[in-house]
Amino acid sequence: MSAMNEQNPIQHLTDELEHDLTARYGVMLGSNALWRELGFRSPAAFRVALSRGMIDVPFFTLPNRRGRFALAKDIAAWIARQRHAAQINEADGVVDR
């Protein structure tokens, strides 16, 4: 069995997403990329979610730069966790609207 097959499905998806995000944006994503990659309809919706603490991702600011930033690996892990939770809810018959 290969090492890739031994990884849990969340870690495998996280690794794939991290590779894709890093290829697209580099190791760090800025606000303009974050709202899209996290699935928000607009930058304003992203800012509201940030201000309400609704996104469990370690965001940070940088000196002399505007907006928030996050590492591609943290965004990849968040997306993979959301996907996994949705699959579990679907299997349990829970519908989240």
Side-chain angles (χ1 to χ4, degrees):
M1 188 178 262
S2 73
M4 180 142 334
N5 291 338
E6 293 173 8
Q7 289 181 330
N8 71 50
I10 296 174
Q11 186 60 51
H12 180 69
L13 179 57
T14 298
D15 292 346
E16 286 183 14
L17 290 167
E18 181 180 356
H19 180 268
D20 292 346
L21 290 170
T22 301
R24 197 173 313 143
Y25 301 108
V27 296
M28 188 172 61
L29 286 77
S31 296
N32 287 336
L34 286 169
W35 71 268
R36 287 184 179 96
E37 295 299 335
L38 294 174
F40 289 93
R41 292 182 183 221
S42 69
F46 172 65
R47 285 191 299 271
V48 168
L50 270 178
S51 69
R52 293 181 180 169
M54 297 172 60
I55 313 167
D56 186 25
V57 171
F59 295 102
F60 54 92
T61 58
L62 294 173
N64 303 313
R65 300 282 307 271
R66 295 169 83 179
R68 300 284 179 105
F69 298 86
L71 297 178
K73 70 177 189 171
D74 294 332
I75 298 303
W78 184 87
I79 294 169
R81 287 192 311 267
Q82 301 311 306
R83 172 82 160 107
H84 181 69
Q87 288 175 321
I88 289 173
N89 286 340
E90 185 178 293
D92 290 344
V94 177
V95 177
D96 186 25
R97 293 181 190 241

